[in-house]
Each structure stands twice: as C-alpha cells, then as structure tokens.
Amino acid sequence: MAAVQDGQLNLEVEKDIKTEITNDGSGNINASSSSPGSTSSGGKSKSPAGSGEDQQTLLAVLQFLKRNKLTESVDILRREAGLSADADDSPVSESAGAGSGGVPSVGADGGDANSLLSRVSIATPVAPPATAPPKVVAASGGEDQPDVNVVLSAYSQQGDPVLYPLYYNGLKKFIESVLDCHRAELSQVFYPLFVHMYLELVYNNHENEAKQFFEKFSGDQECYYEEDLRILSSMSKKEHMKGNETMLDFRTSKFVLRISRDSYQLLKRHLQERQNNQIWNIIQEHLYIDIFDGMPRSKSQIDAMSGSLAGEGKRDANKAKVFYGLLKEPEIEVPLDDEDEEAENEEGKPKKKKPKKDSMGSKSKKQDPNAPQQTRIPLPELKDSDKLDKIMNMKEATKKIRLGPDNLPSICFYSFLNAYQGLTAVDFTDDSSLIAGGFADSTVRVWSVTPKKLRRVKSAADLSNIDKESDDVLERIMDEKTASESKILYGHSGPVYGISFSPDRNYLLSSSEDGTVRLWSLQTFTCLVGYKGHNYPVWDTQFSPYGYYFISGGHDRVARLWATDHYQPLRMFAGHLADITCTRFHPNSNYVATGSADRTIRLWDVLTGNCVRILTGHKGPIHSLAFSPNGKFMASGATDGRVLLWDVGHGLMVGELKGHTDTIYALKFSRDGEILASGSMDNTVKLWDTLKAFDDVELDDFTAATGHIHLPENSQELLLGTYMTKSTPVIHLHFTRRNLLLAAGAYNP
Amino acid sequence: MAEERRPKQCTVVLPTESMKAMAESIGVGQLQEESCAALSEEVSYRIKDIAQDALKFMHHGKRCKLTTSDIDHALKLKNVEPLYGFQSQEFIPFRFASGGGRELHFYEEKEVDLSDIINTPLPRVPLDVSLKAHWFSIEGVQPAIPENPPPAPKEQQKTESTEPLKAVKPGQEEEGAIQKGQGATSAEAKGKKDGLMRMKPRSTHELSVEQQLYYKEITEACVGSCEAKRAEALQSIATDPGLYQMLPRFSTFISEGVRVNVVQNNLALLIYLMRMVKALMDNPTLYLEKYLHELIPAVVTCIVSKQLCLRPDVDNHWALRDFAARLMAQSCKTFSTTTNNIQSRITKTFTKSWLDDKTQWTTRYGCIAGLSELGPDVIKTLILPRLTVEGARIKAVSDGPVVSNIDKIGADHVQSLLLKHCASVIAKARPLPDNVEQYRADYGYLGPMLCSHVVKARAQAALQAQQVNRTTLTITQPRPTLTVSQSGIGGSGGSRTPSIIKVPSSLTLMSTRPGTPTQPSPPATKYIVMATSSGSSSTQQVLWTAVLLGGIQKIALFGKRPSPYYGKNNSNKQREITVRHYYKT
C-alpha cells in the first residue's frame, strides 16, 4: 500500500515542493524551520503570505499521509521538501513518528511575551533564523501527533481570557460605527475572528470563558455558518481539537477575505490605535486579506460569494487560463439517408454532415480559440464501434427537439419501487438505453430500458466453438440464455454512492463506502478491476466524456484521476478542506470539477494537476455539478437548495437560481444548453431558462477583473416549470439525444 | 430561530447520572462525581462528532432519515467497531420509564423463546426492486395520472373553497410557489400574466372531453347492473387523484339520485349511491367540505326515511340504514368542526325525531342506528336513558294485537339494534355482577335480554383479549397479558396500565377503564352535550354552513312529519319544492 502511495506523490505535491524551496530561498528562512509559526509570527507581519500558505499545504499533505500511516511517503516528502538541511543530524523519521514530545519550554521574553511557538522538527532545537523574533519552543507534552501540535500551537499565544469578549465587542462597536459602505466588508472579519478567538480560548484551557464567548457572540454570525458553529460548539476541550478535521481546516488554511483597500486601512488604523494586538495577531496569522483597489463591495455582493469553509477564493487563484472550448469532433462520414442504415460504413453516399449545435460555436472546422490543443491530453483512439455510435448520435441529433421557454421538454420519470430507501446513485447511458442504480445494500443493478435485453457473453469454452469469421460474430458470442431485463452486480462491501457508465456502454464504474472504485464489464457483467487508493468512502466517480479516464473523490478530500488500465491514479487533486462530494469532467476532458463539503467548487487541470478555479458562494455541501454542453458554463447545486451558475472562463458566479427547498442531487443541461433541469430531495424537478440567465449577465472588464458581480434577482423569471412527484426524491436527470428529459428516483411510500 | 438554538448547542451534555447508570451496568460502582462529569463531556463530544459524520452518510444515501447503518459507517470512519444488533429500521427501540423522580430511557432486551421463533411462519420475502416509468410531464404539462400527485392538492382545494378571494388576488403568486408548481403549465409559469391566467380556470366549470367521458362511464358503472364494473368504478373514485374538478357533478349526481330513488323506493340504487359517497370519502385527495350540504342530506335521508323499498316487510332496507349511519358517523368524525357543529346538529336531529311518539318504526330504527354509530359516549348519554321507554314501546307492539306485520318487524329490528349497541357499552361501563333483576329494574322490558347480551359481550371481550395477547404478545411480553385480561374482567383496571407497545386498542380500553360511567371519555371520541344547541345564528356567516344547516333542519322536519314528504308519490311535488328551497338558501 505504501508503495502505491509513494507513486502518487505527483505533480501536485511536487509543485508544492518547488514553491516551498523557492520561498525558502527568498525568505531566507532555514528550510528546517518550515513551521507555520515562524512565518506568521507577530513580528513578521510583512512576510510573503504565499510562502506560509504553501508550507501549510505541505503540512496538510504531510499530516494526511501520516494519518494514513504512510510513514515512508512522509519521509520522502520531507526529504524532498528541503527539510534535508538539518536532516543529517535530525532524521526526519524520528521527528515524524516522534513521541519524544519536543523540548521543554526555555522561558519567555521578547515583544510578545506570551507568544509561544513550536516547530515542525521538534526534536531539533535548531536556533531560529535571525530574522524571526525571539521565540520559544513549546512543550508539546508528549503527543503522538506532532503535526497536530504544530498546527495547534499557533493558538498557544494567548492573552487574558477575560479580555476576549471585550476585544471582540470593541471591534464590533467599531465596525458598527463605520460608514455603511465599509461596514459590510469589515463584517466579514467577524466570523473568522470569532472562530479563532474561540479556538484560542479552548486551546488554552479556558473552557468556561470559551463557552461564554461562544454563547455571547455565536448569534451574531451569518446563518450560513451554522453547521460549522455546531461543530465548534461541541469542541470545548483542548483534547477535542486533536483529530478534529474541521478544526484543522481552520488552522491549516487561512481564511480568505476580500476587502477593499480603503476598508482595510480603516481596520488597520483602528486596531493600531487601540493597540489591539490580540486581534491584530489573529488577523495576521490566520486570515489572508486579499486587498483590492476600488469601490467596497455591497452586502449582497459579499453574501453571494461567502459561505465557504475557508472564505472566498483568492482572486489570483482564478487567474489561470482555462481552455473551456470543446475539442474538434473527428470527421466521420455520415450516410445521408436513414434508409441506408445497413450501408453505414460503405462509401454509398458520403456526405460530411456538420455536426450539430450552432450554440456550441466550436463545431466549425477551425479550432476554437478557447479550446485546448487537440492533443493536450492523450485521448483514446476512436474505435469502429465508437464511430458507429457517433453516427447514431448525429442522426438522433437531427431529430432533436429545440427547447426553449415556449417549448418545454417532456419528462419521463423512472421510479425505483421497493427500494426501501436504499437507492443511492443512478446513471443513464448517453444513448439512454441502460439505467444503473447503486444501492445501500452494496449491489449495483443494471436495467435495460429498451426492448433489447441484457445478455452475457458466453463462457470461454463456448466461445471457442464460435466461427470467428462469420458476419454476426458479435451476435453469436452472446449467451441467449442469460437474457434478462436487469442484472445485479455484486462486489462492493458498502453502499454504492457513485455510478457512471462509460461512453461506449461497455463499462460501468461504481464507487462505494468500502473505499474502492470498481470497473464492471457490461459484456460479461463481472467486475474487472477494483481501484484501491481512497481509504475512506468514495462519494462520487465519473467517466471522462471520451472514456478511458475517470475521476473519483471521497471522504479523504483528495480527488484522483485514473485511467482504466492503470491500477494507480494518474493524478491526485488535493486542496479541498472537506469531503469531496461530487466530481464532474469538463466536456473537453481537460478539466475536472469537484464539489466539496467545504462549500467550494474547484476546477482542476488534468494535464498539470493544478487547481485553476476556486468557486465560492454555496452555503452548504455541494451535491451536484453540471457543465453546459459548450463547456463555457457550469451549474452547481447544494444542500442549501440553491443552484449557482458559473462562467468557467472568467471564474465568476453569473447566476443564482432559488426555488428548491432541499438538497439538489441532480443537475443537467439540455443537449443544446438552453434549459437546465434540477432535481431535488424536495420531490420536484424544476426547469430553468439558462439561455436567458447567461444572456442577462453583462460582463465588462471591470467585473471580470475584480470578480464583483451584481447578480440579477430574477430566478423566478428564469423558472420555466416545476413538477412535483408524489413522494419521490429526484436523484438523477438525463437528457436523451432528442432532448427528452429522463428523471429517476426511489419512491418513498 | 438559529440564534435561539445555538446557545443550547454549546451546553448540551449527557447528564452525569447516565454515566453512573452505565458504569453500574458494567459493574463499576462508586464512580466519582468528577469522573462522571469528565466522562459525560467527553462522551457527548464524541457522540456529536459521530452524529455529524453519520449525517454525511445520510446525505449521500439520499435520504432524510438517519439510520443505524449511517452511524455504523461513521464509526467505521473513526476506526471504531460498529455497533451490532441495532438493525431496527422503523423505530427507536428505546423505552421510557419514570418513577421516583427519575426518568430513564432503556433498551429492552427481551428473552425470546426460540421455539416461538421457529414455529412462527416466515415473513413474506420483501419485493425486489423494480423500475417503473411514467410520464412526468408532456411538453411542459403534467398529466393527471395516478403516478403523479393530484393536480390540486387538498390544501389548495381547501384554500380555494374557504378563501376564494385570497387566491384570486394578484401578487399572491409568490406565496403560492408550490401552487405554481402544481399548475405546471408553461403558460402559467410565465411571470406577469400569472394573475389573469389563474383566474380563468376558476370561472369556467367545463370539463374536458376526457373528463366528461370519464364521468359518464363512472356514473353509469356505479348505478349499472354489472357488479364487477361497479367495483372498478368505485375503486377509481376512491383512489384517483384527479377527481376534484368533477366533484360538484358527483355530489349533485348523488343528491339528485337519492331524491328520485327515495320516492321510487328503489333500494338497490340507493345502496349504490351510498357506496359512491363512501368511495368519495375514502379518496384522500378530495376536499369534500364544499359539498357536504348535498351529501349529508342524501345520507341522512337514507338513514331515516320512512320507506326505502317497495316491500318493507321483505327487503333488507335495514342494511342500507346501517351502512348510511356508518357513513354519517364517519363524516361526523372527519368533517365536524367547532364552526359547522355537524355532529351535534346531526345528533339533535336524530334525537328529536326519535323522541316523537308518532315516528314510524323504520325512522326510529334509522335514528337509533345513526346515534349509536356516533360512538359509545353518545349511546351512554342518549340511548341508555331511553331504554325503558323504548322497551315499553316494543313490548306494546310485540305483546299487543297484531296491527301490521311491518310494525312488528320494525320493532324487532329496533330491539336487536338496541341490544347490539347497548350491550357492549354497558359491558364496559357497568360494574359486575350482571344481575337480571337489577337489569330489569334499570332498563325495563329490555333488561333481561340486555343482561344476557352483556354477559355474552363480556365473555367475548375476555376471550378476544386472550386471543390477541396470545398472537401478538407471547413472544415479547408474556407477563402483561395476565394483568390485562384480569383487569378487564375484574373491573379493577386503572390501577396499573402496563405500557405495551403493541396492544390493540380494544385491550387498552378495557384495562384502563374502571367501571364508572362518569369517567371522562378518551379525547379521541367526540363528546356530545345536548345542551349546546346547534347554534344556528352564530354560524350564519359562512355561507355553505348555513346551507347545510337548512338542509339538516329540513331533514329534521322529515323526521317529524315523514308522511307528506316520503310517503307516496302524491306529495312528490311539495317535497321537491322544499328540497329546492334548501338548496338555494
């Protein structure tokens, strides 16, 4: 297992390592002292925030590895991360597994008398670099989780617990008294400040003060933080902080705020006037303030973007170019007449049909400027059967109904009966001929929804008797005796949470609570591979639109990109602060979007492994994602019952669709992208006019640059229809090639 | 709201007593207070932590209900061995007990006799998962088929009928976000025209061609000769969700039908119509309140009408009266509110005509049946006190010279009806012993017969109790079986009410009711006090209530003076005028 993990330390991690080293060089910091404390200590407020950030990422990775008992990987990572300067006299493995507990406190003096800082390499009492203020190595009390202690130790700096409410109140009064235009922006500070002050109190064993503090001020926080507050409230002892993932999230990642320069100056001046070091320190250490020039944002603008576990995405996080265009379709000879179906592959009446969809724009022969290079990532070659399928697809597409506000789709609902609340995932094939369901009893079931029954390939012995030269060999290999409308696939040992058909309908992927992703053959109806890599439940998986690749994401917060013929992942996308709840491929297969319980959506570049977009705005775990067929837009749905629309190219939120009252589990754009269908736990399917939604957004250069978008309040106008089921939560939606909408869910009597 | 909850979140921990109790259960006595406090805090934190993870599994399982398996999976995440044996799907298997100032929830582990398990037949294998497709929407319009929810849910029908102005007002669309979904037509969803569009269907009462066909088919089948077809039609009425638009038609059909067929003494048709009423009442998607003014008079007619059939001496019109009486009781139960006072007014009507000396035996029978279906309390307060009088009347008919065969049959039926209903009530209310003389003194002519019926009823109840206990309780709780039946027989109940999970209602009634008739009735049944009259003046403001009121008063009239209205065909016209009159009020 460890060997496998070693192999996975890929680009993402290596990139961190690189930046790590460069930062170390520029910051003139001893590489071994890459503790968060040293870079963000009180005196060094001007230190490049990026370096601290990357170190923290590294720490998070280290910690993750350690949690999974991957000590070898930890060693290697440490070695490569440039911790080697001191590695000679302090073997890293020792510090990693060290129960030694570090060095007792030597004394306290200096500017911040109370500030105690501890280090990663606890076992090595290396003198801190000269640039850093005097500091003391903390006694971490013989813990077996040194990394956690490091993370926590930033809280060891403390003031008088009694003064905390006063500080907080003072700031509150100040912010309430500032001009309206600044108030909304500065109010953003409250929540992270509240969290960190509370955690500091808890860490320093001021249990009662912490409780009082919480009771006094938790009511002030925005309602969408309620979930996190609940977790916080349950943490009332220092011991609880260890191993609590949410807590680590708060600490290992800085809370990002976007504040205009004016507002920031105001805040800074106030804090300096009041000599309010306590709050200032917290802001310096735990907050990342992204300062921008220009008008302060309004309350609604801020509310639209906030809500995530770690604040908004940084502006520069969304600067990278995303090639959202579609790949050029391969040119395929298409026979003109439907009557000539038999002659499909012959050169009977060759005519090049312009493949569909003017709205997609990129279909002409010349390359879309926004599209990635055709060979940017290697894609599987088209097989003959794929070409046949493409031809079928195009033929169907010509019969497609054009949808619009006056022309709503028909919906066919597939109800799973007698599922006893056990249906956990559903998928349709692209041609809508098969439907698969994942169940809580660990089974995967496949149904044929066409008259064509499901048949298994004959056994090897029988196959050898078949005349391989005959024309209908593909027919002959099927075992007629096994024909049935549905097949059950056994293999998982936990509820199946994600399911996905391959585009060629030969394979089926399923991801489960047992930590595996399984690849099933739909020819033999057996399991081909079990991909092991996630150690925790895998919440979602999806095939690439071109097949071959697939993505999975789960409780371990890492999304993995796999190729069907490799048993190890090709890429690991780490960065989410909580479970990855849903994963989707971009239509051009070059990008992958992941939604998470940290209430952010990230877009990852498959080629480089970089995170190219961080999209914030949801107030609850994201449970569904969908790309528009032209690849330009994305929709996301969350437990908060809202659908958000995103412009992938600019990394901006462009719409908010309100109306659902419960978690949205299904989102799908129509084949032309004109209508978005959303399905929810509240037993409804809603149709939205996305054409209008995307038209209404005016994107000038300023908004594109700053990301301050005014959302039009028009979700009721965009709602085209609501359809209520009797008692069936809608958990999957699919548009057939002719734009008939299929919905699926389990009937709950 | 959130702010109210949050402070609590911070402080909620398990009580230290729980820690003590748990410690004792594993043999650790004398746990110190501080240890308990520390433990409870720690345990509370861990439980919350696990619960939060379990919620994740619930969300990903696409459920709204947390199950025990979610908790198992959450434990697994933390590398903790899952709890085995908590596989209950439906309810939490904890029981509550209190006493001595302590409240306790505990998990009851019963001793199970293996032979019982072996001997009980295996439960049926649950049905396998299956897939069913239906049209959810056709070009933006949701078809009205059983798979889809009813086009207008009961709530909406109710608001439309009770607050007709509110629904029409423009600017109400936001509030009707759900309604909008129900409308579901693309045109309706299109923003501004909404208000106008919404008014239209309300003013027109035209049925679509399909609906007309359906109506025709259904009504024909309901009164036709083919019983199989009728059963199908009634089934459709009882279950179809999309009938509300046809409801006015059905209602009129029934009331007119009863009107005509009572005059023609067509017993079969009257029965069919009553079955239609029953089917309508069984349909959960219909809001019948609007049509009670037509339905209730029709039903009451079928209960108390002097003559319902051509040959009163042979035909079993008593069954129709019983059936209609049950319908009446059911509608009282479902529709009676403090505003419309249906039950009290019905009771009053029945009593009035029953008290009248000139009332015919058929009507008398109907009145008594109608009253006794309303529940044991009504029987106790209204019928029992009149048993003596009624007994004398019956005696007069049976002992006296044979005036008419019909009277005799009527008296017989009234007698058996009274015996049937009163015996069970007396069995519950009257303390032992059952002395024949005592009964004769209390109830007159009917006394001795009542006595034997009561004795039978008691014996049967005891037998039933034992049987029920044996089938449902032996495995789980053999002990309480005894107490239940004893207290039932001995009349000493109330001293101890065993808290049994699966006791049928009849049992609890027996064990909890001591033998005093003065004990207040359980809250579920309506208690009718005759002193509070129907209060006709106060209910005038609601239009249809007034109409209904008129209807009932007319029926009361029928009861009093049945001959001109329900006698022979000669008075047909007058009757019709009266009926028209109250339809219009």
Side-chain angles (χ1 to χ4, degrees), chain A residues 207 215 218 234 237 240 244 410-411 413 415 417-418 424 445 497 513 539 579 665 681 722-724 726, chain B residues 6 41-42 45 56-57 59 62 64 76 128 130 132-134 136-137 139-140 142 146 149 181-182:
Chain A
E207 198 181 320
E215 274 174 39
S218 66
S234 65
K237 287 208 184 315
H240 297 160
N244 188 305
S410 298
I411 311 174
F413 203 104
S415 305
L417 304 175
N418 309 317
T424 43
R445 288 162 197 254
Y497 290 117
E513 186 269 343
W539 297 132
D579 300 33
Y665 281 116
M681 263 317 258
T722 302
Y723 306 96
M724 193 145 194
K726 245 181 172 174
Chain B
R6 274 183 210 151
E41 273 194 36
E42 179 65 17
Y45 169 73
K56 258 182 211 171
F57 284 93
H59 278 300
K62 276 115 182 162
C64 314
K76 218 172 135 190
D128 199 14
S130 63
K132 186 170 186 293
H134 69 86
F136 191 46
S137 150
E139 288 176 359
Q142 193 165 33
Q182 299 311 319

Side-chain angles (χ1 to χ4, degrees), chain B residues 527-545:
Chain B
Y527 203 77
I528 299 300
V529 182
M530 285 308 293
T532 56
S533 72
S534 55
S536 56
S537 59
S538 66
T539 51
Q540 289 291 343
Q541 69 256 34
V542 186
L543 185 67
W544 69 263
T545 329

Side-chain angles (χ1 to χ4, degrees), chain B residues 95-238:
Chain B
R95 285 188 47 198
F96 175 75
S98 64
R102 281 173 46 140
E103 296 183 337
L104 197 60
H105 291 267
F106 63 96
Y107 180 55
E108 191 174 45
E109 289 176 294
K110 297 152 197 149
E111 281 183 20
V112 181
D113 192 347
L114 278 179
S115 64
D116 278 332
I117 292 181
I118 294 165
N119 291 333
T120 42
L122 286 173
R124 280 202 305 166
V125 179
L127 294 168
D128 199 14
V129 183
S130 63
L131 198 59
K132 186 170 186 293
H134 69 86
W135 285 110
F136 191 46
S137 150
I138 296 171
E139 288 176 359
V141 183
Q142 193 165 33
I145 49 173
E147 285 86 354
N148 288 327
K154 224 171 171 181
E155 286 306 308
Q156 193 188 333
Q157 292 177 42
K158 187 175 175 182
T159 41
E160 269 176 22
S161 62
T162 50
E163 294 162 79
L165 289 174
K166 197 178 171 189
V168 182
K169 265 188 212 160
Q172 294 279 342
E173 289 94 61
E174 289 86 341
E175 150 210 86
I178 305 162
Q179 283 184 10
K180 193 172 183 175
Q182 299 311 319
T185 57
S186 59
E188 215 171 334
K190 260 189 277 164
K192 291 146 208 163
K193 285 174 274 174
D194 221 359
L196 285 173
M197 297 302 290
R198 197 180 292 282
M199 282 176 66
K200 212 177 166 190
R202 194 164 291 114
S203 54
T204 61
H205 283 284
E206 277 168 25
L207 297 182
S208 69
V209 181
E210 295 83 5
Q211 282 173 321
Q212 287 176 25
L213 278 175
Y214 174 85
Y215 174 76
K216 188 165 161 275
E217 283 290 319
I218 288 284
T219 46
E220 275 173 9
C222 277
V223 297
S225 56
C226 175
E227 181 59 36
K229 255 190 176 177
R230 177 166 27 253
E232 238 172 79
L234 291 175
Q235 171 74 13
S236 168
I237 295 179

Side-chain angles (χ1 to χ4, degrees), chain A residues 517-520 527-531 564 566-567:
Chain A
V517 179
R518 281 181 185 270
L519 183 74
W520 308 84
C527 183
L528 301 177
V529 197
Y531 299 95
T564 46
H566 287 62
Y567 70 94

Side-chain angles (χ1 to χ4, degrees), chain A residues 74-148:
Chain A
V74 173
D75 292 351
I76 294 167
L77 180 56
R78 274 171 189 274
R79 222 173 291 136
E80 292 189 4
L83 300 172
S84 53
D86 295 301
D88 299 330
D89 45 302
S90 69
V92 211
S93 55
E94 193 184 306
S95 74
S100 58
V103 179
S105 144
V106 198
D109 57 356
D112 283 327
N114 288 327
S115 95
L116 299 168
L117 296 159
S118 71
R119 320 267 314 280
V120 171
S121 43
I122 313 157
T124 56
V126 177
T131 51
K135 52 184 150 182
V136 176
V137 180
S140 41
E143 311 297 349
D144 52 350
Q145 282 181 299
D147 279 344
V148 180

